[in-house]
């Protein structure tokens, strides 16, 4: 079941029918993090907290949507 606050999981019809109050754009650098972390570490760290906060806001009645992350590199 798609989460109503994650744009990447929604259909165009659902998005068109929903009036959002806030759009969140996570972003992070794509860069080396030594030998122990993946290149996408900044992106992973920027997406997950936003999703959790968006879920909490949605449950409290806020119409928020999290956009796909902007990966800079």
């Amino acid at each position: 079941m798609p989460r109503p606050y994650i744009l990447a999981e929604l259909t165009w019809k659902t998005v068109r029918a929903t009036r959002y109050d806030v759009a969140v754009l996570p972003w992070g650098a794509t860069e080396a993090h030594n030998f122990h972390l993946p290149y996408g570490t900044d992106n992973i760290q920027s997406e997950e907290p936003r999703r959790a906060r968006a879920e909490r806001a949605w449950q409290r009645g806020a119409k928020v949507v999290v956009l796909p992350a902007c990966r800079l590199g």
Side-chain angles (χ1 to χ4, degrees):
M1 177 174 238
R3 294 171 285 185
Y5 46 87
I6 304 295
L7 181 68
E9 297 178 3
L10 303 175
T11 64
W12 176 80
K13 187 176 180 180
T14 301
V15 173
R16 183 175 180 220
T18 306
R19 184 178 178 123
Y20 296 101
D21 299 320
V22 176
V24 178
L25 177 61
W27 62 275
T30 301
E31 61 188 6
H33 288 84
N34 210 328
F35 295 119
H36 65 293
L37 294 173
Y39 272 82
T41 296
D42 293 342
N43 295 294
I44 294 165
Q45 290 178 336
S46 74
E47 287 180 337
E48 289 307 316
R50 300 324 179 261
R51 290 178 182 170
R53 287 176 180 86
E55 179 181 17
R56 187 172 17 187
W58 188 272
Q59 291 171 347
R60 293 180 180 184
K63 296 296 183 185
V64 60
V65 64
V66 178
L67 305 173
C70 180
R71 301 182 189 306
L72 308 170

